[in-house]
Amino acid sequence: MRRQDPDRLYIALFAPPALRERLIGLHAFNLEVAATRERVSEPMLGQIRLQWWRDALDEMRRGDEPRRHPVVRSLAAWMPAAGEAAFDLALELVNARERDLEDAPFATVKDLGAYAEATSSNLVRLGLLAAGVTETAAHDAAQAAGRAYALAGLLRAVPFHGAQGRIMLPGDLLGRHGIADARQSIGRRDPGKLKSVLTELAEMAERDLMSARAVRSLPKAARAPLLIRPLARLYLKRLRRARFDLSEPRIDPGNAAKIAALWRARFLA
């Protein structure tokens, strides 16, 4: 996890010890599911991998003996007590990852938002349930914060996806900004148009982040799972500073800056 998802590892390390173990297991589950595309050679094998996780979750929901897999055992230690909501969120997350097996871009901004909620927001909400937090306000904050973090990640990953021959930016948004052929245009012929697309998505993420940060009177137990907020803010700030030039090295804040942002949010907020 230190190499594949340092952000969520750092978040877990800022959590109280009992919650830390749950978050590490939860984030390992997310990694197992999110890495499906990279670990299979064809979509059918990805479907089989995702079905394995659906079956494991269904067995836990029924109260069956958990599978002999360290991540499954970690989830089984707390998810049954969290109730149906935890299993529903986890299954939505697994189902949404089927989208990763396709190369076609999202058709609409709405489709992208739904994907961000099912993956990123659901993971933050599962972290709240792992902490025993069920308050609606906290889950509303998690929903918005998860979207903001996912959109910031998508913006930063445009070159990575492009190298894979994938376009994750939604088609309706590209069309509004005059990009008809995304694979030919992005990063090559129309850098100005691409920046306008990235700017609009960043504005969406910033609005979500403002909504997430506006929620007050959160229970103390919600602090660690919601540490995704300062990371999203840091990434969006760096993108703005670079004027959405994705070749600018300063877009990556580095681990020291991330840890500092998490420390300030955890202990000074």
Side-chain angles (χ1 to χ4, degrees):
M1 185 180 293
R2 187 181 299 276
R3 180 176 60 84
Q4 296 170 298
D5 193 353
D7 288 7
R8 292 191 173 92
L9 174 61
Y10 297 147
I11 286 173
L13 293 178
F14 275 95
L19 177 59
R20 183 181 307 148
E21 184 176 344
R22 292 181 176 188
L23 290 181
I24 288 174
L26 177 60
H27 296 160
F29 159 68
N30 181 61
L31 275 176
E32 289 280 345
V33 177
T36 296
R37 179 187 171 99
E38 284 70 35
R39 294 182 181 179
V40 299
S41 57
E42 57 183 87
M44 179 60 72
L45 296 177
Q47 294 282 1
I48 293 171
R49 183 183 178 91
L50 293 175
Q51 187 59 46
W52 189 95
W53 283 103
R54 291 189 191 96
D55 293 343
L57 289 168
D58 285 340
E59 289 163 6
M60 273 190 273
R61 191 197 292 259
R62 292 196 303 265
D64 297 348
E65 177 72 17
R67 298 186 176 195
R68 293 184 179 277
H69 186 288
V71 176
V72 174
R73 292 294 177 104
S74 177
L75 296 177
W78 65 269
M79 281 186 68
E84 292 294 308
F87 291 107
D88 290 343
L89 291 172
L91 282 171
E92 284 179 13
L93 190 157
V94 173
N95 291 338
R97 286 298 178 182
E98 287 190 21
R99 182 63 179 73
D100 295 347
L101 303 176
E102 305 173 15
D103 287 333
F106 291 99
T108 67
V109 171
K110 184 177 179 181
D111 292 338
L112 172 60
Y115 173 83
E117 288 184 4
T119 53
S120 183
S121 298
N122 276 10
L123 185 61
V124 184
R125 293 184 64 194
L126 281 164
L128 290 176
L129 293 178
V133 177
T134 59
E135 286 85 346
T136 299
H139 282 262
D140 288 345
Q143 191 93 340
R147 283 196 306 266
Y149 181 82
L151 290 175
L154 171 65
L155 295 175
R156 298 169 68 240
V158 166
F160 171 76
H161 290 143
Q164 294 182 325
R166 301 172 68 197
I167 301 296
M168 299 289 285
L169 302 172
D172 63 344
L173 179 61
L174 294 173
R176 284 205 303 274
H177 291 273
I179 298 179
D181 186 337
R183 286 182 172 81
Q184 289 295 318
S185 298
I186 287 182
R188 297 186 220 171
R189 299 181 183 174
D190 299 313
K193 290 180 179 179
L194 174 60
K195 287 185 179 181
S196 67
V197 170
L198 302 181
T199 300
E200 184 170 339
L201 281 176
E203 289 170 351
M204 291 170 51
E206 288 162 351
R207 287 193 295 271
D208 277 331
L209 190 57
M210 287 178 61
S211 297
R213 288 164 58 87
V215 178
R216 303 297 181 186
S217 302
L218 291 170
K220 185 177 180 180
R223 291 180 183 175
L226 287 173
L227 285 174
I228 205 77
R229 294 182 298 182
L231 291 181
R233 180 175 180 271
L234 178 62
Y235 288 138
L236 291 168
K237 183 178 180 180
R238 289 298 183 102
L239 284 162
R240 282 278 182 196
R241 187 178 297 171
R243 298 184 179 180
F244 300 100
D245 178 357
L246 300 180
S247 65
E248 170 58 62
R250 289 178 298 176
I251 284 178
D252 183 0
N255 291 334
K258 295 181 203 178
I259 292 170
L262 291 170
W263 189 89
R264 287 192 297 269
R266 182 68 177 86
F267 297 110
L268 299 182

